[in-house]
Structures are given as C-alpha cells and as structure tokens.
C-alpha cells in the first residue's frame, strides 16, 4: 500500500517532502539520495537549502544520483539537468560535487552512457531514498507509457505530451530535446524508500492511477504499488480523484 500524505498546497507539500528527506540525511549522514528535476521538487530543494543555512542539515557525506538527463545537452547548458541541480540545490549546500551524479547526456553513445550510469548506481548500492515527480501521463523519470516496464538506464523518445509539458522551460517548443537518458523502472524499484511529490489538478488522474489503478506499463508509476515503502506527498488538487 502506498502511504498518502495530504498537503494543503504546494508550499505545504514541499515542506512535508523536505522533512522526509532531511530525516533520512540526519539518520544516515552518508546516505545515497536519488533526485528528480522538474518544477515540482524545486520547493522541496528550497526548503532543504533553508534548513542547511540554519545549520540543521549537513550534506558533506551525502551522495546523489539523478533520474535522468536530456540527450544532446552539455553539462553547462542552462536547460540540462546537470545545470538544474547545481542551480537549485548543489551550489547552495555543502555537498561534494564529486559525489553528485547525473546521466551523461553529452555522450552521443547511448549504450555506453546508460551502461556506465547503471554501473555507478549499482556500485553505490542504490538509493536509500528516491525522490520522484510524476508526469501528467504517469511517467516517472522519463519512463513513458509503454507496453512493458523498463529495466536499466536507457535512451527514450519523449512523447509529445511530455515535450509539450516541458516546453514551458524552453524559449520555443522545438528547442525541447526529443530524447533523454533515464533510469529504468526496475532501477527505481531498487531504492529502499521512494518519495513521490505531486501538485496541481493536472496531476490528479496520474496520481489516482498510480495509487489505485491497475499495475500496467501504460501508467509507469503504477508499478510503485509493488514497492514495500512508498510515500506520496500531494496537495489537495492532485489528490482530488483519490477520495
């Protein structure tokens, strides 16, 4: 059973999610965190930064592994997830950048890039806590709806709905990369705890299907029903179909 934590709004969701992550860091200072990008986790990262600045959190021994990265973008591209993580978390806390990891989207050899990432995630023992957002179509990471659940890190063709959703972060929709490297659902399921954050009415159907729908690769997030330790923190709008 997925544990659902109700939040009043985005700010409350962000604070509750940050509480769970901070507890993990405090209980295990050298923990392995799986991190996510997108607009949903930004508030959570801001809260973690605030607590770090107050002296309540120490990231010195933490290591991180991000879910995904656009294919074809350099690490310094403002739209890359390498850049996103530095701007929204890493540059503001005392984490060792050598202990932060994001798939290498700048490597045109998809097989090599994905295989290498699988090796380093496995060598770390997989995340103690994996943070996830959820797409409007039920994707986690960039694992799009399909006829099967993915396994290891792989290259995906982004769906039109995902491209459209992500275009708000680009100057033009045609600037959105059409492919990405992403952890597979099997890799995500190896995490010892999974924390899903969701807000807004646009996520309501996906959240419902994740929690209460059939387990099917047409809604990749539904596989989380099979994980023994999942917490979903979502606001009232995102939970509006889960009454």
């Amino acid at each position: 059973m997925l544990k659902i934590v109700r939040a009043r709004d985005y700010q409350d969701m962000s604070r509750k999610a940050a509480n769970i992550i901070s507890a993990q860091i405090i209980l295990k200072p050298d923990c392995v965190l799986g991190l996510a990008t997108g607009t949903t986790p930004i508030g959570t990262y801001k809260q973690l930064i605030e607590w770090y600045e107050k002296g309540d959190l120490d990231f010195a021994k933490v290591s991180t592994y991000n879910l995904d990265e656009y294919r074809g973008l350099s690490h310094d591209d403002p739209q890359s997830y390498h850049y996103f993580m530095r701007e929204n978390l890493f540059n503001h806390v005392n984490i060792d950048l050598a202990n932060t990891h994001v798939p290498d989207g700048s490597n045109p050899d998809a097989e090599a890039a994905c295989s290498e990432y699988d090796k380093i995630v496995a060598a770390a023992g997989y995340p103690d806590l994996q943070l996830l957002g959820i797409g409007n179509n039920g994707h986690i990471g960039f694992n799009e709806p399909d006829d099967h659940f993915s396994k290891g890190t792989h290259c995906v063709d982004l769906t039109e709905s995902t491209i459209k959703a992500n275009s708000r972060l680009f100057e033009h929709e045609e600037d959105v990369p059409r492919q990405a490297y992403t952890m597979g659902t099997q890799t995500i399921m190896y995490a010892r705890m999974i924390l899903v954050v969701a807000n807004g009415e646009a996520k309501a159907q996906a959240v419902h299907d994740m929690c209460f729908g059939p387990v099917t690769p047409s809604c990749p997030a539904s596989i989380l029903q099979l994980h023994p330790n999942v917490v979903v923190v979502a606001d009232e709008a995102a939970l509006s179909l889960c009454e």
Side-chain angles (χ1 to χ4, degrees):
M1 291 291 292
L2 281 68
K3 181 178 180 180
I4 297 175
V5 177
R6 289 183 173 270
R8 294 185 303 277
D9 51 27
Y10 178 78
Q11 183 177 1
D12 191 37
M13 178 209 76
S14 299
R15 186 169 55 254
K16 283 180 165 65
N19 265 317
I20 294 170
I21 297 171
S22 64
Q24 174 66 74
I25 296 170
I26 291 167
L27 290 170
K28 186 180 180 184
D30 62 345
C31 65
V32 177
L33 298 180
L35 298 181
T37 53
T39 55
T40 307
I42 289 176
T44 299
Y45 294 148
K46 285 182 178 178
Q47 183 65 76
L48 291 172
I49 292 166
E50 182 179 324
W51 287 334
Y52 162 75
E53 290 175 341
K54 289 181 178 179
D56 295 333
L57 282 179
D58 182 5
F59 289 81
K61 297 180 181 179
V62 172
S63 60
T64 66
Y65 295 81
N66 266 75
L67 286 165
D68 44 31
E69 176 61 286
Y70 287 119
R71 186 184 188 188
L73 298 187
S74 72
H75 298 179
D76 293 326
D77 189 302
Q79 300 297 346
S80 75
Y81 290 160
H82 281 81
Y83 189 94
F84 175 98
M85 290 308 305
R86 293 196 301 270
E87 288 294 300
N88 289 286
L89 182 62
F90 299 156
N91 286 351
H92 307 285
V93 297
N94 66 329
I95 196 166
D96 183 348
L97 288 178
N99 292 333
T100 65
H101 308 83
V102 182
D104 187 5
S106 67
N107 186 349
D109 186 335
E111 185 175 347
C114 295
S115 174
E116 177 62 25
Y117 201 63
D118 274 342
K119 289 176 183 176
I120 65 172
V121 176
Y126 300 101
D128 294 295
L129 184 153
Q130 175 66 62
L131 176 65
L132 296 177
I134 181 171
N136 294 356
N137 62 2
H139 75 232
I140 48 177
F142 272 132
N143 293 285
E144 301 282 17
D146 206 338
D147 59 3
H148 66 282
F149 288 111
S150 59
K151 293 184 178 180
T153 305
H154 58 290
C155 183
V156 295
D157 296 321
L158 303 183
T159 63
E160 286 304 315
S161 65
T162 296
I163 291 168
K164 185 175 181 62
N166 289 1
S167 65
R168 69 190 184 282
L169 304 173
F170 290 78
E171 187 173 352
H172 305 289
E173 186 171 318
E174 55 267 27
D175 295 334
V176 183
R178 266 45 187 176
Q179 290 185 315
Y181 299 150
T182 185
M183 277 189 197
T185 50
Q186 183 181 67
T187 307
I188 291 169
M189 292 288 281
Y190 285 148
R192 282 169 281 286
M193 177 182 181
I194 295 175
L195 170 61
V196 185
V197 289
N199 73 289
E201 189 177 352
K203 300 293 179 69
Q205 189 64 57
V207 169
H208 173 273
D209 293 348
M210 170 179 64
C211 297
F212 302 107
V215 176
T216 168
S218 64
C219 176
S222 65
I223 198 171
L224 299 180
Q225 294 177 38
L226 305 180
H227 193 282
N229 189 11
V230 178
V231 177
V232 179
V233 181
D235 69 1
E236 294 291 347
L239 292 172
S240 60
L241 299 180
C242 296
E243 301 300 332

